[in-house]
Amino acid sequence: MADAVTQVDTPVRGASSPSPKGRGFDVKRLPGFATVAWMCLLVLYAPMLVLVLFSVNDNRSVTIWTKFSWRWYEEVINNEGIQHATVLSLKVAVVAMVVATAVATMAALATTRTRAYRGLPVVYGIINQPLMVPEIVTAVATLSFFALIKQATGVTGLGYLILAHTVFCIPFAYMPIRARLEDMDLTLEQASADLYATPWRTFRRVTFPLLLPGIFAGAMLAFVISLDDVVISLLVAGPGESTLPIYIIGQLRRGVTPEMNAVSTIFLAVSILLVTFFFVLARARK
Amino acid sequence: MSTSVPETGATAAQSAERRAVRTRWLLVSPAVVIIGCVGILPLSIILLYSLLEPAEYAGVVWTFSPEAWMGLVLERDIFDDTLGLSSAHLTIYTRSILQALFTTVLTLIFGFPTAYFIATRPAKERNIWLFLVTIPFWTNLLIRTFAIMLIVRDEGLVNHALINIGLIEKPLAILYTDVAVAIGLVYAYLPFMVLPLYASMEKLDFRLVEAGYDLYANRRRVLRRVIVPLVKPGVIAGCILVFIPSIGAYVTPRLLGGGKNMMLGNLIANQFGTSRNWPLGSAMALALMGLVMIALVIYVRNVTAAGQKSHG
């Protein structure tokens, strides 16, 4: 793929090649597009930079800069509400991630590298279903369903929230695992089978190690998605089950405080770190 | 099919095949069961709920009633019980559709040149750009909306700067208006437009663009007659990816629009909260899902049509 691109690139962009429109005519350039692109970048990052900047500002006002200080971070660390919410968020995200990744890995193994079989499109449809329904619809549907179960069985607990998270994490975990599998070399597994390895042994010693970067990438996405969720958690979570986003949205309704900047900055940093890690893993493909 | 294969070979192959099929279904079943039970089954439950009567406190009473579906656009007069159009609901629907359309158009206007610019960068630079656009895609929407709040509120950066310049004396009330929601939605979903557009522009064959110039087309004509038709699937994918979440947006209107500028997502959530009308909320949710399904069908049909055209 990369080779094909460079091959196309060279004759087109090479300034030395004789072009009917004369030297230096770049067929790829469209005037003004670069400006818009830089503007987009500015628009995307400026608000986040403001958020980060005022998280280290020693002033209750989130508009006027006075001096650098870590005090809001100290307050965040000592805030019991945030502590509880963080622990709960992590609990939910870790369990949802583990279950979703395991289930998605199995599904990916059975839906890639095979001939099209009956029911395959249906399986694809089911796995991607959480992506196709608007979040608010999933949220109220899950709420209604769980209310019904709670009424019938009387069982309550964190399990419901975790289950709801697992569902929408599955397609996100599935995507990179499937992509990795499709890129993998089938001949290695065939060689292993030729050398009298059982299917299980082939999976453990050949397929699984090769698939591992994909599994990590999938787990990463599932974790981030679970951690970020607002709408479904807001409707499904029972009393006392405030995840960090629910806590933040509750606080924001009461007004903007620099403490919220600090906790948001930490949240932002974690997300960016995980996504960067995901990028590195995806790059490790070749 | 297996007539030429000796019988023993055929049965061995058949049993191997059967084993493979069994493994396959065992492997997909956990994912299918989880999503089937907790993702798809609940949708049929709200379909059922939408045909029942609301309970006094929360939940439903198990008697049939078409009231919820009628309640989508109609309302009963509290005095004489006659039906009339519910202007409150209609306002919210119109606002949601307009906001979603506006967001789609604006993100397209910004996203198209951006995606094109990224796709025409050299490989290394392209990866950095791509990374920079992907980061906001995956970062928490709530936090990004909060960042917009910091910018547009009365004591926010925009008003602070405008007052300091002397352009205005009193802060402009942007927060808790439709404008703030629009800004928030565009900001939130811009990466959702850029990424699918980029994916189809990356595959753009620039020899065709060059051919256009060779045939004496100017830049505008090449853009309109060569580039746009070639990346049409990406444009449609981007529009769908922006339109669907923005029409059902919940977080952005809640934080930036306040109580007065509700959108469909908030209206639905309210039926399950303070308004305590689960059947109505269910009907609204299903209507929203129907709308999304229509958008998806249009997308699929357009993409297949575009695919057939480029192969033919």
Side-chain angles (χ1 to χ4, degrees):
Chain A
M1 186 65 205
D3 287 358
V5 170
T6 41
Q7 269 170 18
V8 177
D9 277 2
T10 354
V12 172
R13 206 185 307 130
S16 58
S17 69
S19 155
K21 299 253 172 176
R23 271 167 166 265
F25 183 85
D26 185 351
V27 295
K28 288 186 169 182
R29 209 180 81 83
L30 284 168
F33 277 28
T35 323
V36 177
W38 283 103
M39 244 173 69
C40 276
L41 210 59
L42 184 76
V43 163
L44 283 177
Y45 282 91
M48 289 201 258
L49 284 179
V50 170
L51 178 104
V52 174
L53 196 68
F54 283 103
S55 76
V56 289
N57 179 24
D58 186 56
N59 190 325
R60 199 145 258 293
S61 142
V62 196
T63 314
I64 303 149
W65 176 265
T66 41
K67 72 179 198 330
F68 181 87
S69 145
W70 290 115
R71 67 184 262 216
W72 306 114
Y73 287 87
E74 279 164 27
E75 290 203 9
V76 164
I77 291 167
N78 295 324
N79 182 322
E80 254 177 51
I82 294 177
Q83 286 171 7
H84 281 295
T86 309
V87 170
L88 191 87
S89 266
L90 289 175
K91 243 191 235 170
V92 173
V94 167
V95 180
M97 172 189 80
V98 170
V99 177
T101 310
V103 163
T105 308
M106 288 161 67
L109 283 168
T111 50
T112 47
R113 307 184 301 170
T114 64
R115 280 176 292 121
Y117 53 86
R118 269 183 63 154
L120 186 63
V122 178
V123 172
Y124 278 147
I126 292 174
I127 290 172
N128 288 315
Q129 184 268 348
L131 300 179
M132 290 186 286
V133 178
E135 233 189 333
I136 186 72
V137 178
T138 311
V140 298
T142 314
L143 165 70
S144 307
F145 178 56
F146 286 169
L148 210 61
I149 295 182
K150 279 179 191 169
Q151 207 177 28
T153 63
V155 180
T156 54
L158 198 56
Y160 292 106
L161 188 59
I162 293 174
L163 197 56
H165 275 233
T166 307
V167 171
F168 65 78
C169 284
I170 291 173
F172 285 99
Y174 175 79
M175 284 188 293
I177 299 172
R178 181 183 160 191
R180 175 90 193 172
L181 265 172
E182 277 176 346
D183 275 3
M184 261 165 52
D185 195 352
L186 255 180
T187 51
L188 290 169
E189 283 154 282
Q190 281 160 359
S192 158
D194 285 346
L195 294 167
Y196 297 103
T198 58
W200 172 242
R201 207 177 153 87
T202 302
F203 173 75
R204 236 182 29 147
R205 305 293 293 268
V206 181
T207 319
F208 185 71
L210 284 170
L211 190 54
L212 216 51
I215 294 176
F216 275 129
M220 211 64 57
L221 287 192
F223 189 75
V224 170
I225 287 294
S226 163
L227 217 55
D228 284 354
D229 177 71
V230 183
V231 178
I232 291 169
S233 306
L234 205 57
L235 282 154
V236 171
E241 294 177 1
S242 291
T243 60
L244 195 50
I246 299 182
Y247 180 85
I248 293 175
I249 205 170
Q251 291 292 312
L252 284 183
R253 273 202 303 174
R254 284 183 223 164
V256 173
T257 63
E259 222 177 335
M260 285 302 107
N261 284 51
V263 71
S264 299
T265 303
I266 299 171
F267 213 135
L268 212 58
V270 171
S271 299
I272 292 174
L273 215 67
L274 288 172
V275 175
T276 311
F277 191 49
F278 167 77
F279 249 73
V280 172
L281 284 172
R283 277 291 112 79
R285 187 168 287 188
K286 273 144 202 167
Chain B
M1 198 173 87
S2 56
T3 40
S4 61
V5 183
E7 212 184 311
T8 47
T11 47
Q14 264 170 14
S15 70
E17 174 74 22
R18 220 173 297 138
R19 218 177 308 130
V21 169
R22 206 172 45 211
T23 321
R24 199 155 67 197
W25 288 116
L26 274 176
L27 284 171
V28 293
S29 55
V32 169
V33 167
I34 292 178
I35 297 177
C37 288
V38 193
I40 298 170
L41 182 67
L43 293 176
S44 47
I45 287 172
I46 57 168
L47 179 63
L48 187 68
Y49 275 16
S50 74
L51 298 167
L52 299 173
E53 272 177 14
E56 190 101 8
Y57 173 61
V60 289
V61 178
W62 293 84
T63 39
F64 172 80
S65 156
E67 200 87 337
W69 285 97
M70 280 156 59
L72 283 185
V73 287
L74 302 172
E75 66 182 351
R76 268 186 205 287
D77 195 285
I78 34 172
F79 298 113
D80 57 10
D81 221 34
T82 49
L83 281 172
L85 281 180
S86 159
S87 60
H89 289 177
L90 289 177
T91 312
I92 293 176
Y93 301 153
T94 318
R95 181 187 293 125
S96 302
I97 292 172
L98 288 180
Q99 286 280 22
L101 284 177
F102 178 79
T103 307
T104 312
V105 171
L106 218 67
T107 50
L108 184 62
I109 291 172
F110 280 104
F112 190 94
T114 308
Y116 183 86
F117 178 75
I118 298 174
T120 53
R121 295 295 88 199
K124 247 192 201 147
E125 239 179 274
R126 200 183 329 175
N127 284 336
I128 297 171
W129 273 91
L130 216 52
F131 177 67
L132 289 174
V133 176
T134 313
I135 290 269
F137 185 89
W138 290 113
T139 44
N140 195 318
L141 184 66
L142 173 62
I143 286 166
R144 298 209 298 132
T145 310
F146 169 43
I148 290 290
M149 238 175 132
L150 289 178
I151 306 248
V152 300
R153 71 204 179 104
D154 286 4
E155 315 84 61
L157 226 64
V158 170
N159 277 316
H160 198 66
L162 286 177
I163 290 172
N164 270 3
I165 301 168
L167 222 55
I168 50 169
E169 278 173 13
K170 270 193 292 181
L172 294 174
I174 310 171
L175 188 62
Y176 306 132
T177 63
D178 284 332
V179 177
V181 178
I183 295 173
L185 287 173
V186 170
Y187 177 68
Y189 297 119
L190 186 59
F192 288 61
M193 180 63 86
V194 175
L195 292 175
L197 274 174
Y198 167 80
S200 73
M201 283 179 186
E202 190 195 20
K203 291 183 222 124
L204 189 65
D205 186 348
F206 280 98
R207 286 173 303 183
L208 296 172
V209 175
E210 200 181 15
Y213 286 122
D214 285 347
L215 294 167
Y216 297 102
N218 56 22
R219 281 209 158 99
R220 179 187 289 245
R221 220 175 147 84
V222 165
L223 179 64
R224 261 194 34 219
R225 305 293 293 272
V226 183
I227 299 175
V228 169
L230 282 172
V231 299
K232 199 178 154 207
V235 173
I236 298 168
C239 289
I240 297 268
L241 274 181
V242 171
F243 186 80
I244 291 180
S246 31
I247 196 164
Y250 176 85
V251 173
T252 314
R254 175 161 170 182
L255 282 182
L256 299 174
K260 313 186 297 283
N261 302 288
M262 242 193 252
M263 280 173 65
L264 195 46
N266 312 82
L267 184 63
I268 293 173
N270 273 0
Q271 306 309 317
F272 288 83
T274 46
S275 296
R276 288 176 195 161
N277 193 339
W278 289 32
L280 181 59
S282 301
M284 284 172 176
L286 288 170
L288 174 62
M289 204 178 79
L291 203 68
V292 166
M293 288 301 148
I294 293 169
L296 283 175
V297 168
I298 292 172
Y299 165 64
V300 170
R301 282 175 69 178
N302 265 299
V303 166
T304 18
Q308 274 161 1
K309 222 180 284 166
S310 70
H311 287 301

